[in-house]
Amino acid sequence: MFDFVLCKPGHRWRPKQMLGNILDEVEDYRQQKRAWNEKYRKTEFFLARIGRSTFLRSKRVGAEVLKQLLMNTANLIEEQRCLVKNLRSPTKRSPLGVWERLWPNHVRSARANREIDLDTRLQLQTAKMFRTFLHKDEGVSLRTIARLVVLVHKVAGLASIDLKTEALFIAGSRRTITCRSVEEILRRNRIDHQG
C-alpha cells in the first residue's frame, strides 16, 4: 500500500489518478466553501428578512391595491433570494469523474444545504477514491481510509490543530475532525461496500 501511495513506478498511472481526483474534490470543496462565505449568507438572510416583512405587512394592509402591491414585491424578493442561493449551488458533476460510476449505491450528494453537509461530502468522496484503489482484501482497513481522509484535510489546509486542546478542527468552524468520527461517517454510509 505504501508503495502505491508514494506513487512508486510499479503502479504506473493509478496512484497519480487517485491523488489527482482527490485534489480535484478538494478544490471543488474550497470553491463551495468560498460560496458559503458571509457575503452570500448575509445577502440571502437580508432578502429573506425583508421578503418576510413585506409579506407580513401585506396581511395588515386594508386596501386591496396595496395588499396586492406588497404581495407582488414579496414574491419578487423571494425570487431574488433564490438567485443568491443558486449562486452557491454545487457543481453538477463529480470531480471523481468516471470513477464515480464504480459507486452507484453511493452517489455524490448534489446539494449541500449546510456547511457540515459539504464537509461530510468531501470526506465521503475522498474515502470513495481511496477505497477504489486501496482494497480491503489487500489489508487496507476502513480505519486506514479514515486516517487518510483526515490526512488529506490536514495536508490541504482544510483543518488545523488547536494548540490548547490539540484537537484538529475543520477550517472556519469549531467542528472537530478525528479518525474515529470519519470512520463512523464512512461506516454509516457503507463506504466499505463498493457499488
Side-chain angles (χ1 to χ4, degrees), residues 7 41-42 55 65 70 85 114 117 121 131 135 138 149-150 160 164 178:
C7 301
R41 272 191 291 204
K42 282 184 178 178
F55 176 77
V65 172
L70 289 169
K85 190 173 185 174
R114 302 172 304 162
D117 298 334
R121 182 175 71 191
R131 183 48 90 201
H135 304 122
E138 294 172 339
V149 170
V150 172
S160 57
K164 291 179 184 175
T178 65

Side-chain angles (χ1 to χ4, degrees), residues 14-80:
R14 291 175 53 219
K16 290 179 182 169
Q17 178 78 51
M18 177 188 74
L19 295 174
N21 288 0
I22 289 171
L23 291 176
D24 288 346
E25 192 71 47
V26 166
E27 185 54 36
D28 182 65
Y29 173 84
R30 282 191 174 127
Q31 289 174 5
Q32 294 299 309
K33 208 65 159 169
R34 273 186 239 122
W36 275 90
N37 74 24
E38 283 300 309
K39 291 177 187 173
Y40 287 92
R41 272 191 291 204
K42 282 184 178 178
T43 302
E44 188 180 344
F45 291 149
F46 171 74
L47 291 172
R49 188 174 64 246
I50 63 171
R52 179 146 175 78
S53 176
T54 306
F55 176 77
L56 292 174
R57 174 80 53 155
S58 73
K59 297 292 184 190
R60 292 187 296 240
V61 171
E64 193 58 39
V65 172
L66 291 177
K67 185 180 290 253
Q68 191 58 48
L69 174 76
L70 289 169
M71 286 294 285
N72 289 343
T73 302
N75 289 335
L76 288 172
I77 292 170
E78 178 60 19
E79 287 175 17
Q80 296 304 308

